[in-house]
Amino acid sequence: LDSSTFEVTGFIKKLLDGMAGDCGFRRTLFALLSEDRSAIRGRLGSGLHVDDSLRGFHFSLVRGDPALGSVIDRKQDLWINTQTDLRYAASRVVSLFDPAHFLLLPVVVDGVAAGAIYADRKTPLTGADLRTRVEKVRDLIAAGIAKMRLE
């Protein structure tokens, strides 16, 4: 993050590629909130059908989606097994991707949710190493956005 030639888009894309490859996710997406905070839209991604996934990941935040509300409004991390945890069955994100296991994490910059990371896979989201690696990706994305805002 110290380079004078820092380019945030390429940086985030590399992190998402690493998450997809190294952490076994079928799909990883970075979504950004609109300036007026009324919507969230997929901007970058990696993995299975990424272009279609990015096009589909565009949601209004006005209608109160349970998963997006938890992540954006309350800044909660979601690590969900959809077979055993039905709290987010009505989420438009779950309807779009129908994941067996997914995570949705807020990307917080200067105390404000600027976006989110979505990732899904067929196998359980278990292991401290997985959580540590994914949280590090989130922290690096937040730091990259903060750096971009300063320039």
Side-chain angles (χ1 to χ4, degrees), residues 8-25:
V8 72
T9 302
F11 178 70
I12 293 172
K13 178 72 169 99
K14 284 181 184 173
L15 290 168
L16 295 173
D17 288 346
M19 242 178 95
D22 297 341
C23 296
F25 290 103

Side-chain angles (χ1 to χ4, degrees), residues 54-131:
L54 287 170
R55 274 191 293 280
F57 200 102
H58 183 206
F59 303 105
S60 168
L61 296 176
V62 176
R63 290 182 268 157
D65 183 277
L68 293 170
S70 291
V71 170
I72 302 303
D73 298 336
R74 294 186 289 286
K75 299 178 199 154
Q76 290 179 319
D77 292 356
L78 301 182
W79 295 76
I80 305 297
N81 172 342
T82 58
Q83 276 73 57
T84 60
D85 186 341
L86 304 178
R87 289 177 295 166
Y88 302 104
S91 170
R92 291 167 294 180
V93 175
V94 172
S95 296
L96 176 65
F97 295 125
D98 191 27
H101 305 272
F102 77 94
L103 61 83
L104 193 59
L105 308 179
V107 175
V108 178
V109 180
D110 298 326
V112 177
I117 296 171
Y118 170 86
D120 63 38
R121 64 191 214 174
K122 293 181 180 183
T123 58
L125 300 167
T126 55
D129 183 53
L130 176 67
R131 189 170 293 260

